[in-house]
Amino acid sequence: MEVHPTALPDVLLVVPKVIGDARGFFVETYSESRYREAGIGGSFVQDNLSRSARGTLRGLHLQHPFAQGKLVSVVEGSVIDVAVDVRVGSPTFGRHVTAELSAANKHQLWVPPGFAHGFAVTSEHAIFAYKCTELYHPETEQGIAWNDPDLGIAWPTLEPLLSARDKAHPRLKDIAADRLPRHAV
């Protein structure tokens, strides 16, 4: 496996080793010791899977407290995945990175705790998988407007399919600092 830094130092792009032949392929999607050595720490306590149609945008989501680190990948189809640093006091606060994740490239993105996360489906449908370092706590879940102009995210669609909840999220600047995670120095 190869691990590549992104424009945000704590977010990592993982390119697993793929062994393939005429029968198909094999890929190791997680190994605790190898991932820990690569800087992807914490123990995973919950795995999630979602299926979404083309044009669906899910996000930008975060939990505070009970921040979740997420190791995300696509099992079928393709997405544009986004991580936004929302840690108050971070030198990269409000900045984001994007990555194309697909069944074809088998890449993973490590989104550490303290980052908002979202994705937009670019194929007919996508099956999206993610391992989480914290359980889902709906009472602490919040979100940021997908089209917050201060973030400047270049989504693949300007008219995404959104849940009612995702349509109502505020801009990052409108969220009180005490409702966001703090950057650990």
Side-chain angles (χ1 to χ4, degrees), residues 6-90:
T6 67
L8 297 179
D10 299 322
V11 178
L12 302 172
L13 181 69
V14 179
V15 180
K17 181 178 179 182
V18 179
I19 301 167
D21 59 26
R23 301 169 297 160
F25 70 89
F26 171 84
V27 61
E28 182 180 83
T29 59
Y30 180 71
S31 169
E32 182 179 14
S33 61
R34 265 193 283 288
Y35 279 63
R36 190 173 306 281
E37 286 173 19
I40 299 172
S43 60
F44 292 103
V45 298
Q46 181 175 325
D47 285 3
N48 300 313
L49 196 65
S50 70
R51 185 178 195 278
S52 304
R54 179 188 298 277
T56 296
L57 192 152
R58 297 185 185 269
L60 298 161
H61 302 149
L62 68 137
Q63 286 186 174
H64 179 69
F66 307 113
Q68 292 177 310
K70 297 176 181 175
L71 180 62
V72 300
S73 62
V74 172
V75 177
E76 190 172 302
S78 60
V79 307
I80 296 299
D81 198 72
V82 177
V84 180
D85 187 349
V86 296
R87 300 169 300 168
V88 174
S90 169

